[in-house]
Amino acid sequence: RPNLPLVPVALARGRANASQIAFAAFKDGTILPVVTGNGAPEFFDATGVRLPAGMVPTAMAVTPYNEFLVVTVWDTNTVSGKLAFIALRPREMAVGNPDQTVNTRWYWGLPGAWTIRGMKLLGTIDLPFAAPTSVDVSNNLILGNPRGFGDNDNPAQGDLSLQSARDLWAAVR
């Protein structure tokens, strides 16, 4: 683990009650998840990610159900503002109760809850202005039924390692 400054330069936490994981960004580009509630620490991976050298985070926002983290960045290499996108790997939110969620279903970029098993930097895009200082993200999912199906606990509907669940997901428009 790198030597981190004591004070983060940016903090983010989703607004939905499923977002019991927060994120802290530091000047050296390290971004770490932080448990802030009933976060099932036995399933928590605090590894985090590190932005490429010269990229300093300035603000962050996480989607309400822990799908993605969006980070504004000051790129000291190109002297420009960027937006970094980080995929999160939460435990799939089934019916809204962590006791009902199978602890083997961890999916990148899909609605999840209560804990996290990974962060992956997808990339950055240039911003049309120099120094980004804030960012916000949202979605329109409903907490009790985030995938649009009544029973995500049923592996045929909710376990994305199965072709039947992927087919069902692909058919949603």
Side-chain angles (χ1 to χ4, degrees):
R1 189 179 295 274
N3 291 330
L4 300 176
L6 294 176
V7 178
V9 295
L11 295 169
R13 182 175 179 215
R15 291 181 297 269
N17 68 356
S19 296
Q20 295 176 0
I21 303 297
F23 299 90
F26 300 88
K27 282 192 288 188
D28 69 352
T30 301
I31 302 172
L32 299 172
V34 180
V35 175
T36 62
N38 300 328
E42 67 273 22
F43 300 115
F44 182 73
D45 179 358
T47 304
V49 296
R50 189 158 188 183
L51 298 174
M55 293 197 177
V56 180
T58 58
M60 295 189 300
V62 61
T63 54
Y65 296 104
N66 304 310
E67 301 95 339
F68 297 95
L69 182 65
V70 180
V71 183
T72 59
V73 175
W74 177 247
D75 186 345
T76 62
N77 301 309
T78 61
V79 190
S80 64
K82 297 188 183 298
L83 209 55
F85 293 89
I86 298 171
L88 303 176
R89 188 177 179 213
R91 180 173 54 192
E92 180 189 16
M93 184 179 355
V95 187
N97 181 340
D99 295 331
Q100 296 172 313
T101 303
V102 180
N103 292 322
T104 58
R105 288 168 30 187
W106 302 83
Y107 302 118
W108 292 103
L110 290 181
W114 294 283
T115 193
I116 188 172
R117 275 274 171 91
M119 299 172 66
K120 184 186 300 186
L121 177 64
L122 299 177
T124 62
I125 60 168
D126 294 329
L127 291 174
F129 48 86
T133 59
S134 64
V135 65
D136 194 17
V137 294
S138 189
N139 62 32
N140 63 353
L141 292 176
I142 298 167
L143 177 63
N145 196 3
R147 288 254 335 270
F149 303 107
D151 184 8
N152 285 336
D153 272 343
N154 177 348
Q157 294 178 337
D159 187 347
L160 295 180
S161 65
L162 300 176
Q163 186 62 48
S164 60
R166 292 194 301 272
D167 291 345
L168 197 57
W169 175 265
V172 175
R173 302 218 189 274

